[in-house]
Amino acid sequence: LTNKATEDDEPKFLRAVEMFFDRAAKHSNASEETLKHIKSTDSVLSVTFPVEKDGKTVMIRGYRSQHSRHRLPCKGGIRFSSAVDLQEVEALSALMTYKCAVVDVPFGGGKGGIMIDPKEWTEAELERITRRFTLELCQKNFIGPGVDVPAPDVGTGPREMGWIADTYRNFNPQDVNGAACVTGKALSLGGVRGRTEATGLGVYYGVREFLSFPEVQAKMKNSGKIDGTSVVIQGFGNVGYWAAKFFEANGAKITGIIEHDVAAYNKDGINVEQLALWRKENGGSFRGFPDAQIIENPMSVLEAECDVLIPAALERQIGMRNAHKIRAKLIGEAANGPVTPAADEVLRNNGAVIIPDLLLNAGGVCVSYFEWAKNLSHLRFGRMNKRWDERSKEQLLSLVEGNAGHPLTEVERRQLIHGAEEHELVYSGLEDTMIVACNETRQTANAKNIDYRTAALANSINKIAASLAGSGSIFTHA
């Protein structure tokens, strides 16, 4: 799919990230020396190890990149994909550094990957590969609650995170905070409620916030309301599915959903849950879904007319071959690096608003931060204060009822005194984080008259530079 969108002379993913960085650096307050420090990758681990499959030995290659250790631990997902290479992992780890800074999550950027297609391996084989890779990370000190904390990414999920956590625990049985060595775990293993849908929910919050800005409404000729807004989503994995669910639940019309083989399109809107159920029951494909037109050339649906386009698949999906055909008024980058630098310029020149990946898809790392903090505190959010809050509200409500002379019904009473559950606290923390980060980006963009990507990156660079300046640099100066 990537090759269909990009020209041969367009920069690869890592170079594209560096080009965006260089553009933003001109608008930052950092010195040349500090910019060099921020831009470069701190350390990279490359490993190969043998795994037996069908009686033969297969050599597996894996990577882990720690882009920046200005704040610790490093944070970033581990992906299983045959397309994984060192350059991709370095680029993604750089994005993680900037992403954490833009949303004020106190981590450095990291990323990992294993060069396999998970569909070609059995569950038992995947477990052996995951545990062996974790062993390599343990031996090289590339994993730990205060060192480097992986998370799910393309091709991985709570199952793999559980294997990683268990392997780490077996090699570090004395580490009382061992559960915090990885995030995105199942609830039974110390996960946090709300992590699964976090990135998709963050995408929704971010788009909703930008739609509320008068300058964005003027550019899009849009009312600023989610209700009635037409949305096309590329990718129906975890991020795309949850983003679609939250947009739909708040009144948006999901007119197109694009997968790697085909796309589903209906100008009147697609029922997201029905499509997900159809795919699950029909071999993982949209084909035959009765309530939408099935498009055999999925990339063409990226060019469909809509208010909001959400690329939530892989990098480099909008390049010089298709940028001029994109008709969406707002592009929300739920995937990492879906738009190339040249395509970014074309889209902006054509009047499109672009919400950049380092801001819009930061919901995942934000809630990973909450999970990490929960694991370190060994306490579920809300456990200590839920009943106290409810009793306090009940006393206040009784006082108001007495003065008003109008008692509430039991249902009304329960609704008003309800104390926050863990997932409600997570949602609240994520919403606040996204609102603050979106408004910081907007303020910088308006003050400097620059686009939102450059503004978000410039803010990120300034925050990292301040952290480096505050801590000083050991062994750098004579």
Side-chain angles (χ1 to χ4, degrees):
L1 289 182
T2 296
N3 293 336
K4 291 179 182 176
T6 56
E7 296 288 359
D8 294 339
D9 60 350
E10 287 193 78
K12 299 297 183 191
F13 189 20
L14 179 59
R15 180 65 194 129
V17 172
E18 290 173 344
M19 287 170 72
F20 286 135
F21 178 92
D22 291 341
R23 191 171 81 191
K26 296 169 189 170
H27 300 279
S28 74
N29 304 324
S31 67
E32 281 297 321
E33 289 73 20
T34 303
L35 288 170
K36 283 180 196 171
H37 186 173
I38 295 171
K39 188 177 176 182
S40 59
T41 301
D42 279 0
S43 55
V44 173
L45 176 67
S46 173
V47 298
T48 53
F49 52 85
V51 171
E52 192 174 295
K53 181 175 176 63
D54 301 328
K56 295 180 181 177
T57 298
V58 179
M59 295 306 295
I60 304 294
R61 180 170 288 279
Y63 303 100
R64 185 72 183 173
S65 170
Q66 295 176 347
H67 175 261
S68 178
R69 291 190 291 250
H70 74 285
R71 304 292 292 269
L72 285 173
C74 293
K75 190 81 189 75
I78 290 180
R79 61 174 53 185
F80 287 1
S81 167
S82 52
V84 163
D85 60 28
L86 182 56
Q87 188 185 78
E88 178 189 63
V89 169
E90 279 198 58
L92 289 165
S93 70
L95 267 179
M96 282 302 300
T97 295
Y98 312 139
K99 191 183 299 184
C100 290
V102 88
V103 291
D104 293 321
V105 168
F107 294 145
K111 207 73 176 187
I114 301 179
M115 200 191 301
I116 57 167
D117 181 350
K119 295 190 184 83
E120 295 176 357
W121 299 79
T122 66
E123 184 173 337
E125 290 166 344
L126 286 171
E127 182 175 355
R128 286 207 305 276
I129 290 168
T130 305
R131 289 184 182 276
R132 178 58 196 270
F133 183 61
T134 308
L135 168 61
E136 297 286 346
L137 296 178
C138 289
Q139 288 177 333
K140 312 299 190 301
N141 199 31
F142 265 71
I143 188 172
V147 179
D148 193 344
V149 179
D153 202 281
V154 176
T156 58
R159 179 185 67 178
E160 287 78 13
M161 300 308 108
W163 294 335
I164 291 171
D166 182 65
T167 307
Y168 178 85
R169 184 177 58 82
N170 275 284
F171 281 97
N172 299 273
Q174 76 292 346
D175 188 350
V176 71
N177 295 319
C181 75
V182 66
T183 58
K185 303 179 294 292
L187 280 175
S188 58
L189 297 175
V192 72
R193 290 161 182 83
R195 174 63 183 87
T196 305
E197 65 268 33
T199 309
L201 179 57
V203 168
Y204 165 73
Y205 284 148
V207 171
R208 184 197 68 186
E209 198 62 23
F210 271 84
L211 285 178
S212 73
F213 300 157
E215 61 271 29
V216 172
Q217 293 171 16
K219 208 166 188 183
M220 292 177 63
K221 297 180 175 59
N222 184 285
S223 66
K225 294 182 173 65
I226 292 287
D227 193 16
T229 295
S230 58
V231 181
V232 169
I233 296 178
Q234 184 199 27
F236 204 49
N238 177 274
V239 179
Y241 168 76
W242 282 107
K245 287 280 287 181
F246 287 114
F247 276 110
E248 182 184 50
N250 287 277
K253 222 171 24 170
I254 311 299
T255 54
I257 298 178
I258 304 163
E259 268 285 61
H260 62 94
D261 54 346
V262 294
Y265 184 81
N266 185 339
K267 64 179 174 58
D268 298 320
I270 297 167
N271 184 302
V272 174
E273 201 52 48
Q274 284 179 10
L275 183 62
L277 192 62
W278 178 272
R279 186 178 68 162
K280 186 178 178 182
E281 293 174 352
N282 290 273
S285 176
F286 294 162
R287 282 195 174 90
F289 182 65
D291 297 329
Q293 183 185 354
I294 302 303
I295 311 291
E296 290 295 329
N297 176 16
M299 292 293 280
S300 66
V301 180
L302 278 176
E303 301 156 16
E305 195 167 333
C306 61
D307 295 314
V308 176
L309 171 62
I310 306 288
L314 293 170
E315 61 269 9
R316 304 176 82 230
Q317 296 301 299
I318 301 176
M320 288 306 286
R321 291 187 183 177
N322 62 351
H324 60 285
K325 300 176 188 173
I326 303 295
R327 289 186 282 171
K329 297 167 188 171
L330 184 146
I331 294 150
E333 295 183 344
N336 289 311
V339 178
T340 66
D344 177 84
E345 193 171 341
V346 169
L347 291 167
R348 286 188 291 107
N349 288 341
N350 289 343
V353 174
I354 302 175
I355 311 176
D357 47 6
L358 74 154
L359 170 61
L360 194 64
N361 68 25
V365 74
C366 182
V367 177
S368 274
Y369 170 43
F370 299 159
E371 181 179 334
W372 178 78
K374 174 188 176 181
N375 293 156
L376 293 181
S377 69
H378 302 268
L379 202 61
R380 171 175 56 81
F381 295 130
R383 184 170 185 174
M384 297 291 285
N385 58 329
K386 182 175 186 287
R387 299 301 173 192
W388 169 260
D389 287 345
E390 288 183 349
R391 276 197 294 273
S392 300
K393 287 186 207 170
E394 195 163 17
Q395 288 170 356
L396 182 62
L397 202 56
S398 297
L399 191 63
V400 171
E401 280 180 321
N403 287 337
H406 175 67
L408 297 172
T409 66
E410 189 57 35
V411 172
E412 289 171 334
R413 195 176 183 83
R414 276 204 306 269
Q415 285 175 339
L416 285 170
I417 68 169
H418 170 72
E421 303 284 356
E422 182 172 72
H423 76 278
E424 292 165 325
L425 291 168
V426 166
Y427 281 19
S428 172
L430 173 58
E431 183 174 16
D432 181 65
T433 299
M434 293 304 295
I435 288 171
V436 170
C438 288
N439 278 280
E440 283 180 355
T441 301
R442 177 202 186 190
Q443 286 166 11
T444 302
N446 290 348
K448 294 180 179 287
N449 194 26
I450 53 179
D451 62 281
Y452 294 123
R453 186 192 310 281
T454 305
L457 258 173
N459 286 348
S460 203
I461 291 167
N462 287 336
K463 289 176 184 179
I464 297 166
S467 175
L468 290 171
S471 61
S473 298
I474 191 168
F475 305 134
T476 300
H477 304 293

